[in-house]
Amino acid sequence: MAPLEFWFEFASTYSYLSAARIGEIAQAAGVELRWRPFLLGPIFAAQGWQDSPFNLYPAKGRYMWRDMERLCEGYGLAFRRPSRFPRNGLLAARTALVALDGGFGGDFVRGVYHAEFAEDRDIGERREIARVLEGLGRDPDVVLEAALAPRNKDRLRTQTELAVKRGIFGAPSFVVGRELFWGNDRLGDAVAACALGT
Amino acid sequence: MAPLEFWFEFASTYSYLSAARIGEIAQAAGVELRWRPFLLGPIFAAQGWQDSPFNLYPAKGRYMWRDMERLCEGYGLAFRRPSRFPRNGLLAARTALVALDGGFGGDFVRGVYHAEFAEDRDIGERREIARVLEGLGRDPDVVLEAALAPRNKDRLRTQTELAVKRGIFGAPSFVVGRELFWGNDRLGDAVAACALGT
């Protein structure tokens, strides 16, 4: 059984859909899940995009918001369209690396996405990340100090470089062996690929 | 039961996947299917793209070709990566309108996609479209004369304008009432929406 790498960006709407579901799905399938936060910003910038494609291409953006509503309804997930999009996912991604080390990564990731897409909170703000950590019974100052340490910042940079090497160009993405799957719609296919041990 | 509008572009790889399957799926679900050929070129050009996004963004393109291989295998569809991409779908789209009028639209559409993505034929060439028509027992000269009539060219232009009004920005797309679904991955959701009569 191959492990399932889950590559996500906190600014990404469709990553929310996968992050909310993947823990239970992987567990039910008996698949080892590896959470891989990364930054889409540098990847988009290399493609010449200085903003989300959903803002750059308005018809695509209008569609995406309606699609999110429908999908969240189908999954039974809370959703409120954020008053600003995209949010800055940098601090959340740095903090996620620390949370994953500490064994509370899944809960932290789900908490941040919920704050962002169900409560319209600005997850780019330190106080909102602190709120999520407090809700998990963690000391925000301790976790955030580790998140902001130069070595941890470097780790996130390395992780984003690794995403590019994996051929990743959007989020969420799933990697199983040498196979890449892009988009929340491919979560099921990715899990199935784990059983094939690709 | 709301009808299912199927908007497709002959140059589009993912449209092949839907075109090959949608006839049987709609029939099994008891849904009225409306074939809607249109041109993505003008829509992409309005977004500033002079080529397929799969060529403009190479990582996305590499992914798409592998994804197509996997999906075709899963659906049991023949697939050969075309030696040139994208092909020009203009003549095929004009001819499809005539074929739909003549009651052999579905077969023509499937035939063109098969020539393009299973046999690597250049569907931008008149002789390849003629070949597909001959295979269906039609007189290519008669059909192509109708396809190239000014009124038919105008129809395709009008249809593409209608696609823009529907909020369509890519292919394949499905429209059910006021709901838009984008991508081969949403074919099932679109069919389900027909039953809701949205």
Side-chain angles (χ1 to χ4, degrees):
Chain A
M1 195 79 125
L4 174 62
E5 290 184 4
F6 170 42
W7 292 81
F8 57 98
E9 149 72 58
F10 280 103
S12 149
T13 47
Y14 288 102
S15 292
Y16 167 45
L17 303 179
S18 291
R21 303 183 301 127
I22 198 167
E24 283 183 26
I25 291 172
Q27 196 171 19
V31 163
E32 182 198 332
L33 177 58
R34 297 180 181 170
W35 301 78
R36 295 283 186 264
F38 76 110
L39 299 180
L40 263 182
I43 293 174
F44 281 179
Q47 295 186 166
W49 297 343
Q50 301 302 326
D51 194 354
S52 162
F54 297 123
N55 291 336
L56 294 172
Y57 307 112
K60 194 168 189 163
R62 275 189 296 274
Y63 172 78
M64 182 274 285
W65 292 115
R66 175 63 189 135
D67 197 40
M68 279 295 292
E69 280 179 359
R70 287 188 307 223
L71 293 169
C72 285
E73 203 187 319
Y75 294 140
L77 276 178
F79 178 68
R80 190 195 303 175
R81 180 171 165 171
S83 49
R84 241 188 61 206
F85 177 82
R87 303 289 191 188
N88 187 333
L90 177 60
L91 180 61
R94 286 172 172 167
T95 309
L97 290 177
V98 177
L100 287 161
D101 286 344
F104 58 103
D107 287 335
F108 174 76
V109 171
R110 283 183 290 268
V112 171
Y113 277 116
H114 185 85
E116 185 180 13
F117 292 116
E119 299 180 336
D120 189 19
R121 294 181 183 274
D122 186 353
I123 59 144
E125 296 285 337
R126 185 186 166 112
R127 69 170 180 281
E128 295 296 346
I129 299 301
R131 238 187 107 264
V132 173
L133 290 168
E134 277 162 11
L136 300 172
R138 303 287 160 171
D139 183 333
D141 291 335
V142 172
V143 178
L144 286 167
E145 194 187 331
L148 294 170
R151 232 173 87 181
N152 193 60
K153 293 181 177 179
D154 284 345
R155 271 173 81 195
L156 183 61
R157 212 170 290 127
T158 304
Q159 186 120 304
T160 300
E161 289 163 6
L162 191 59
V164 173
K165 274 184 203 151
R166 293 269 205 276
I168 289 171
F169 56 91
S173 289
F174 311 96
V175 176
V176 181
R178 291 166 149 204
E179 294 286 325
L180 172 63
F181 299 87
W182 172 50
N184 174 65
D185 294 328
R186 289 282 179 285
L187 173 49
D189 288 346
V191 171
C194 293
L196 299 175
T198 314
Chain B
M1 196 78 122
L4 174 62
E5 289 184 3
F6 170 41
W7 292 81
F8 57 98
E9 149 72 58
F10 280 103
S12 150
T13 47
Y14 288 102
S15 293
Y16 166 46
L17 303 179
S18 292
R21 304 183 300 129
I22 198 167
E24 283 185 26
I25 292 173
Q27 195 171 20
V31 163
E32 182 198 333
L33 177 58
R34 298 180 180 170
W35 300 79
R36 295 282 185 266
F38 76 110
L39 299 179
L40 264 182
I43 294 175
F44 281 178
Q47 296 185 165
W49 295 344
Q50 301 303 328
D51 194 354
S52 162
F54 297 122
N55 292 336
L56 294 172
Y57 307 112
K60 196 168 187 162
R62 276 189 296 275
Y63 172 77
M64 181 275 284
W65 292 115
R66 176 63 189 134
D67 198 40
M68 280 295 292
E69 279 178 359
R70 287 188 308 224
L71 292 169
C72 285
E73 203 187 319
Y75 295 139
L77 275 178
F79 178 69
R80 191 195 303 177
R81 180 173 167 171
S83 50
R84 242 188 60 206
F85 176 82
R87 301 290 190 188
N88 187 333
L90 177 61
L91 180 61
R94 285 171 171 166
T95 310
L97 290 177
V98 177
L100 286 161
D101 286 345
F104 58 103
D107 287 335
F108 175 76
V109 171
R110 283 184 290 267
V112 171
Y113 277 116
H114 185 84
E116 185 180 14
F117 292 116
E119 299 179 337
D120 189 19
R121 295 182 182 273
D122 186 352
I123 59 145
E125 297 285 336
R126 185 186 166 112
R127 70 169 180 281
E128 295 297 344
I129 299 301
R131 239 188 106 264
V132 172
L133 290 168
E134 277 162 11
L136 300 173
R138 303 285 160 172
D139 183 332
D141 290 335
V142 172
V143 177
L144 285 167
E145 193 186 333
L148 293 169
R151 233 174 85 181
N152 193 59
K153 292 181 178 180
D154 284 345
R155 272 173 80 196
L156 182 61
R157 213 171 290 125
T158 303
Q159 185 120 304
T160 298
E161 288 163 6
L162 190 60
V164 173
K165 276 186 200 147
R166 292 268 205 278
I168 288 171
F169 56 91
S173 289
F174 311 96
V175 176
V176 181
R178 292 167 148 202
E179 294 286 326
L180 172 64
F181 298 87
W182 171 51
N184 174 65
D185 294 327
R186 290 281 179 285
L187 173 51
D189 288 346
V191 171
C194 294
L196 298 174
T198 311

